[in-house]
């Protein structure tokens, strides 16, 4: 985890023309928090989609079993 944070800080440091260490640390923490929230939102979206598909398959399976 420390290596990840360090690499993100170094990446940001290269992009900023002047970057005080505190500024780089704060911006890095905000960027990582943004990544986390985006990943959580994507995971939640995929989970909702998966649950919907599972429900649809369950309904189709029930209907198919009733026909037999």
């Amino acid at each position: 985890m420390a290596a990840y944070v360090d690499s993100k800080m170094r990446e940001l440091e290269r992009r900023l023309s002047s970057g005080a260490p505190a500024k780089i640390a704060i911006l890095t923490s905000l960027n990582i928090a943004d990544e986390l929230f985006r990943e959580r939102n994507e995971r939640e979206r995929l989970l909702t989609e998966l649950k919907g598909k599972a429900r649809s398959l369950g309904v189709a399976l029930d209907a198919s079993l009733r026909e037999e």
Side-chain angles (χ1 to χ4, degrees), residues 35-59:
E35 288 176 11
L36 173 64
F37 279 81
R38 287 176 190 267
E39 289 295 325
R40 283 181 178 173
N41 287 337
E42 178 65 7
R43 183 187 58 136
E44 190 61 37
R45 184 190 69 76
L46 290 171
L47 186 58
T48 300
E49 182 180 323
L50 182 62
K51 286 179 181 178
K53 287 181 179 183
R55 256 187 249 108
S56 294
L57 286 171
V59 168

Side-chain angles (χ1 to χ4, degrees), residues 6-66:
D6 184 60
S7 71
K8 289 295 189 177
M9 287 183 72
R10 290 179 191 279
E11 179 184 319
L12 191 57
E13 187 176 37
R14 283 191 298 273
R15 292 191 305 173
L16 294 177
S17 56
S18 66
K23 180 179 179 180
I24 291 172
I26 291 167
L27 289 174
T28 299
S29 66
L30 289 171
N31 286 339
I32 292 172
D34 182 59
E35 288 176 11
L36 173 64
F37 279 81
R38 287 176 190 267
E39 289 295 325
R40 283 181 178 173
N41 287 337
E42 178 65 7
R43 183 187 58 136
E44 190 61 37
R45 184 190 69 76
L46 290 171
L47 186 58
T48 300
E49 182 180 323
L50 182 62
K51 286 179 181 178
K53 287 181 179 183
R55 256 187 249 108
S56 294
L57 286 171
V59 168
L61 181 59
D62 285 345
S64 176
L65 291 173
R66 275 189 239 120

